[in-house]
Structures are given as structure tokens and as C-alpha cells.
């Protein structure tokens, strides 16, 4: 994990996604809807909903959109039923790819994911073919802008809060936790007055794939096609960027 900035990857992706803000809000609303449907509409009693709301707010999603998704899930206003499915495969150059979906039509989603891989130099594989290359982690980003705390003090603070590791760049502290410690670390840092640029559960590669520039561009094209699909919530990969 050391030396690889997930945050820089998120920032690069964000620049490409700003033009798709409406689509991103729709995906976030779906995530909130599912969390509220499964665990209730009170974020204090539903950690999954709290996490989905925090993610939406980090993307500057309006509160009205968030409230509407919760009310839709808890008010029995819709018969929608989303299923979570993860597809696995390889992108150009053998880059490992995991695709997390929320869908109300598995056949449609499977066809779209397979087509995206086939048309962009990848191969969709069987369940489990790349999952072993990733670890599920809690992930928190704190911007260094306007912060006076130095790296050593911040590292001590996050380790005491229960985090596993921290990476530092010029503009951010990136904090990784075990899944079971994520909420505790997040709450501890919130109580210390920190605000987050990102706070989510993610899949972190154990190793990274090195490819040439041309192959990397093909991989970015595959990511773009996948992320443009309404059923796809997250695309995880181990491309060394």
C-alpha cells in the first residue's frame, strides 16, 4: 500500500466525473435508498446509512436529495428492489478489476459489464478470480489545507484512534483502518475536530500492476465506460497510477 496515493486517483477521477454530477447523485441516492431500506431511516441507528449519507455529502449532494431517498425507502412509496452484485475480471495489461453494482435487473447489468470488458481490452472472470488480490479497508481522507498538525503528530493520533496505517502527501492525510474499526476511528477523529474529504469502505490492492502509458489509457477508458453505467456504484482496480 505504501507509496500509492488513492486520494490522487480519486481527485483525477473526480475531474472527469464533474460533468456527470447528476448521474453521480443518482447513484448515491440509490446507495442511500438501499441502506435505509435495509436498516431503517435513522442514521444514528443505521451505520450503513450514516456512511452513505457522509459519502453523499462529501460529493456535495444536496440535503433535499438525501432526504428524498430516505423517505422513498422508508415510506413504502416504491416497490424497487436493488440487489448488490460484484463482478470480477481483468482489464488491459492484466490489471485486476472489481465492479460493485446495485441493480434491479441482473441480466441487464451482467450484459453491460461483460460488453464493457470485451470492447475495451478486458476479460470478465469468475467470482473470486481477483478478490484475493484486494483487502477490504476503511478509508478516510483529511485535507492538510489549513491544518497545523505535522505528519508525526497526526500519525500518532490516528494510530491511537485505532487506525492501521496512514499515508501522507502534500495535500492530504490518507488513513486506512480494519473494517471493524472504521466507525470508531471515524468518530474519534470527528470528535477531535477533523473534517473529511472522504470516509468510506473500499477495496485496497495488495499489489499494483505496472503497465505502459498506452495500456493505462485503455484501462482508463474501461473504467470510464463502467462508471458511466447507472447500475455500477464502484470500480476497484490495482493499476499503479
Amino acid at each position: 500500500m505504501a507509496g500509492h496515493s488513492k486520494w490522487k486517483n480519486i481527485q483525477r477521477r473526480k475531474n472527469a466525473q464533474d460533468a456527470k454530477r447528476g448521474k453521480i447523485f443518482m447513484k448515491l441516492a440509490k446507495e442511500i435508498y438501499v441502506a435505509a431500506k435495509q436498516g431503517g431511516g435513522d442514521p444514528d441507528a443505521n451505520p450503513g446509512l450514516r456512511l452513505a449519507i457522509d459519502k453523499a455529502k462529501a460529493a456535495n449532494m444536496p440535503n433535499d436529495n438525501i432526504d428524498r431517498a430516505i423517505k422513498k425507502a422508508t415510506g413504502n412509496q416504491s416497490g424497487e428492489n436493488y440487489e448488490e452484485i460484484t463482478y470480477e475480471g481483468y482489464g488491459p495489461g492484466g490489471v485486476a478489476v472489481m465492479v460493485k453494482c446495485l441493480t434491479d435487473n441482473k441480466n441487464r447489468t451482467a450484459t453491460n459489464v461483460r460488453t464493457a470488458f470485451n470492447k475495451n481490452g478486458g476479460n470478465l472472470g469468475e467470482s473470486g478470480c481477483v478478490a484475493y488480490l484486494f483487502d477490504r479497508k476503511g478509508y478516510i481522507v483529511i485535507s492538510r489545507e489549513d491544518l497545523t498538525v505535522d505528519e508525526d503528530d497526526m500519525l500518532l493520533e490516528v494510530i491511537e484512534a485505532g487506525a492501521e496505517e496512514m499515508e501522507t502527501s502534500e495535500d492530504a492525510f490518507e488513513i486506512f483502518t480494519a473494517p471493524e474499526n472504521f466507525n470508531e476511528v471515524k468518530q474519534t477523529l470527528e470528535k477531535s475536530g477533523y473534517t473529511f474529504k472522504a470516509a468510506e469502505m473500499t477495496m485496497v490492492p495488495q499489489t499494483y500492476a505496472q503497465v505502459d502509458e498506452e495500456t493505462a489509457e485503455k484501462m482508463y477508458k474501461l473504467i470510464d465506460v463502467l462508471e458511466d453505467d447507472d447500475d455500477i456504484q464502484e470500480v476497484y482496480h490495482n493499476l499503479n497510477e
Side-chain angles (χ1 to χ4, degrees), residues 142-159 166-170 172-175 194:
I142 298 174
S143 172
R144 297 188 70 179
E145 186 177 0
D146 299 326
L147 280 186
T148 57
V149 61
D150 64 25
E151 180 178 357
D152 290 340
D153 289 340
M154 189 67 185
L155 178 60
L156 181 61
E157 190 167 355
V158 301
I159 295 300
M166 185 184 81
E167 294 185 15
T168 304
S169 61
E170 290 183 2
F173 295 114
E174 296 179 82
I175 300 156
Y194 294 108

Side-chain angles (χ1 to χ4, degrees), residues 33 36-37 40-41 67-79:
Y33 174 92
K37 195 84 169 176
D67 293 340
R68 189 158 52 245
I70 295 173
K71 288 177 181 177
K72 187 176 182 181
T74 57
N76 296 319
Q77 300 173 11
S78 170

Side-chain angles (χ1 to χ4, degrees), residues 14-214:
K14 182 181 182 301
N15 291 335
Q17 290 174 343
D18 277 346
K20 308 175 186 177
R21 188 165 295 275
K23 185 180 289 288
I24 293 170
F25 287 171
M26 182 187 69
K27 293 185 179 188
L28 291 168
K30 187 188 293 186
E31 202 165 322
I32 291 168
Y33 174 92
V34 170
K37 195 84 169 176
Q38 293 176 343
D42 180 4
D44 291 331
N46 183 349
L49 177 59
R50 176 76 265 166
L51 194 57
I53 291 172
D54 288 346
K55 186 176 178 181
K57 288 184 175 180
N60 297 316
M61 184 173 175
N63 288 332
D64 286 349
N65 296 41
I66 295 171
D67 293 340
R68 189 158 52 245
I70 295 173
K71 288 177 181 177
K72 187 176 182 181
T74 57
N76 296 319
Q77 300 173 11
S78 170
E80 293 170 328
N81 184 27
Y82 294 107
E83 185 173 354
E84 184 171 329
I85 305 172
T86 300
Y87 296 96
E88 302 176 38
Y90 293 93
V95 175
V97 184
M98 296 184 68
V99 184
K100 176 186 171 185
C101 307
L102 281 176
T103 180
D104 57 358
N105 187 324
K106 290 193 295 183
N107 291 335
R108 177 191 66 219
T109 306
T111 298
N112 290 349
V113 171
R114 187 176 299 278
T115 299
F117 272 85
N118 289 345
K119 288 188 174 181
N120 293 279
N123 295 286
L124 191 61
E126 298 295 325
S127 178
C129 70
V130 301
Y132 70 96
L133 297 172
F134 295 81
D135 293 320
R136 184 165 172 79
K137 298 285 185 182
Y139 177 65
I140 297 169
V141 178
I142 298 174
S143 172
R144 297 188 70 179
E145 186 177 0
D146 299 326
L147 280 186
T148 57
V149 61
D150 64 25
E151 180 178 357
D152 290 340
D153 289 340
M154 189 67 185
L155 178 60
L156 181 61
E157 190 167 355
V158 301
I159 295 300
E160 287 181 344
E164 290 184 335
E165 184 176 355
M166 185 184 81
E167 294 185 15
T168 304
S169 61
E170 290 183 2
D171 54 356
F173 295 114
E174 296 179 82
I175 300 156
F176 298 87
T177 80
E180 62 272 17
N181 295 336
F182 173 73
N183 284 325
E184 181 181 351
V185 173
K186 179 173 173 290
Q187 290 169 8
T188 299
L189 293 175
E190 282 176 333
K191 288 177 182 176
S192 296
Y194 294 108
T195 56
F196 308 136
K197 288 293 185 181
E200 61 190 41
M201 297 301 301
T202 190
M203 301 300 291
V204 177
Q206 297 172 1
T207 59
Y208 291 88
Q210 300 278 356
V211 299
D212 58 33
E213 186 175 345
E214 181 180 353

